[in-house]
Amino acid sequence: MRLAIEEAKRAALSGDVPVGAVVLGPDGSLLATGHNEREATGDPTAHAEVLAIRRAAAALGEWRLSSCTLVVTLEPCTMCAGAIVQSRVGRVVYGARDEKAGAAGSLWDVVRDRRLNHRPEVILGVLERECAQQLTDFFRGH
């Protein structure tokens, strides 16, 4: 999670909401990183999770990330939850809950919906205060 927090700091430097993500391989090695780049790129899909998933798939040379872990500072939204399910990420670890747009247990639970063909393990609340504080500090400054 500390690596994801560092990624989130990079997002804030470019005016993006400070969300960071990393994808770890089956052996725990770092496969890919990502941070929000919507403001920097003008791409509405440039969320930390989507970017990290894309980069991890490229690093592995395949789209199935079933043995991988996605670590992200903020609970994934519905778009990111869909990307997690579609890429078959095996485990999702997140810090701060997102009561307004969270789709991994807060507002919705897309990633564990029994109607879908893939349901990753979800671990929540890792370094939650630190992750939430990054977001609070960012929005107080804007």
Side-chain angles (χ1 to χ4, degrees):
M1 184 62 75
R2 297 240 181 257
L3 291 173
I5 290 169
E6 289 304 312
E7 278 296 311
K9 289 176 185 176
R10 290 183 181 92
L13 292 174
S14 64
D16 276 285
V17 175
V19 177
V22 298
V23 176
L24 306 174
D27 62 354
S29 64
L30 181 64
L31 285 178
T33 64
H35 57 269
N36 278 359
E37 296 182 17
R38 292 184 306 169
E39 298 298 330
T41 63
D43 178 356
T45 69
H47 286 205
E49 301 95 308
V50 170
L51 296 173
I53 287 169
R54 286 178 185 159
R55 292 168 184 157
L60 286 176
E62 67 171 291
W63 63 269
R64 289 178 189 87
L65 303 178
S66 57
S67 298
C68 297
T69 298
L70 172 70
V71 181
V72 60
T73 57
L74 179 65
E75 180 180 358
C77 69
T78 54
M79 176 182 69
C80 294
I84 289 164
V85 170
Q86 292 301 315
S87 63
R88 312 297 195 265
V89 169
R91 180 181 302 116
V92 177
V93 177
Y94 70 84
R97 293 173 59 89
D98 186 348
E99 299 294 337
K100 293 182 180 180
S106 292
L107 190 56
W108 297 286
D109 201 352
V110 172
V111 296
R112 291 179 287 194
D113 190 317
R114 294 178 156 253
R115 295 169 292 182
L116 299 176
N117 64 340
H118 177 74
R119 290 175 298 282
E121 175 186 7
V122 177
I123 299 169
L124 58 110
V126 176
L127 296 179
E128 183 173 11
R129 281 189 183 156
E130 193 170 337
C131 293
Q133 192 62 53
Q134 263 188 322
L135 292 158
T136 299
D137 292 348
F138 176 81
F139 286 113
R140 279 191 182 146
H142 278 78

